[in-house]
Every structure is written in structure tokens, then in C-alpha cells.
Amino acid sequence: MELNTFKEILSASDELCFVLPNGTFIPPHFHITEVGKFTKDFVDCGGTIRKEEVANFQIWSADDYDHRLEPKKVVEIIEIAENELQLKNLNVEVEYQSDTIGKYNLNYANGRFHLIALQTDCLAKEKCGIPEKTVPKDSKEGLSSCDSSSGCC
């Protein structure tokens, strides 16, 4: 979801609700502790230089159980970030504490924001000799398919 879409939904909402990938709700007394722009400059395993930018929100739950963050207040915080950080209409990424800090994409359905788990991936499959097929997660097929002489892995 892009930042402008997030703001439009917030502007039309009376409450703010986030759902984790496992279906549990983030407690309603959460805080958005940070709104930022993350820029990642990197070289993938195939040697290609890449740059990614996302709008980032950090969600945190404390013990102040009566706290409720209003959608209008979140829009105000985003507008400050847009002005001060030159935050553009980037994809939104959400961080939330579980066993470690989880990073999620964002979707909206049935009046709720759904956190969608991010997955790692090889960005240079053609250089690593990895075929473009999907292997079931519970399958052991393809575990040793990375050729150590390929320059990847």
C-alpha cells in the first residue's frame, strides 16, 4: 500500500485497527512511535547495485491500556514527516515487535489494516542459476541448488 492510499483510508476512518498475519489483533492501545523514510542502498548477490525507499511506521504497545490513537492524529504525524523528511508517496512498511522486530507490508480489508509478512528473495536468480519455479515450503527439493562457483551464495 502506498502512503497516499494509507492517508486516504485514515481520513475516512473512525478507528485504527491492525491485524497480524496470524489473525491476532495488535492491542488497541498501540502507539506509532516512528514515521520515517528508510533508504536501502545495496548490491545484490548478482552484483547489481540497487536502491529501495519505503515509508516506515513503527508500532509499539505499552502498558497504558486506555491509550487510543485516532486516525486523524496519524494523518497529522504523516504530514509532518512529509514536510520535514520530504516523504514521498512510497510503499508503506510497518515494524512491530514480536520475537524480534518484524517487518510487514500493509493491506486494507473489512475496515482493518492487515500486516503482510515480508519474505526474503534472491534478486539475481538468473545469475545464481536458480530456476523461476515455486518450491513448496515443506519440500526438501532444491535445498542444494546453489552452485558455489556461480558467485552467488
Side-chain angles (χ1 to χ4, degrees), residues 97-116:
Q97 182 72 43
S98 52
D99 294 335
T100 186
I101 298 173
K103 293 171 69 170
Y104 304 90
N105 281 326
L106 198 57
N107 194 3
Y108 187 76
N110 302 318
R112 298 177 176 133
F113 289 100
H114 295 264
L115 278 62
I116 310 299

Side-chain angles (χ1 to χ4, degrees), residues 28-102:
H29 56 276
F30 69 87
H31 294 252
I32 294 181
T33 58
E34 296 177 7
V35 174
K37 176 176 61 175
F38 282 8
T39 303
K40 180 180 175 182
D41 294 309
F42 62 102
V43 176
D44 69 22
C45 61
T48 301
I49 298 170
R50 299 181 185 263
K51 180 176 186 167
E52 294 178 355
E53 283 189 327
V54 296
N56 182 273
F57 296 83
Q58 186 178 80
I59 297 176
W60 176 69
S61 295
D63 295 332
D64 56 340
Y65 300 106
D66 294 328
H67 178 269
R68 297 295 183 272
L69 189 56
E70 299 293 327
K72 179 181 176 184
K73 179 64 176 174
V74 177
V75 171
E76 292 171 3
I77 295 168
I78 292 170
E79 289 172 349
I80 293 169
E82 287 174 323
N83 292 328
E84 296 297 323
L85 303 174
Q86 290 74 52
L87 188 59
K88 301 177 265 185
N89 187 31
L90 301 170
N91 281 325
V92 174
E93 180 180 274
V94 175
E95 292 181 340
Y96 182 68
Q97 182 72 43
S98 52
D99 294 335
T100 186
I101 298 173

Side-chain angles (χ1 to χ4, degrees), residues 111-124:
R112 298 177 176 133
F113 289 100
H114 295 264
L115 278 62
I116 310 299
L118 293 172
Q119 302 294 317
T120 60
D121 192 11
C122 177
L123 300 176

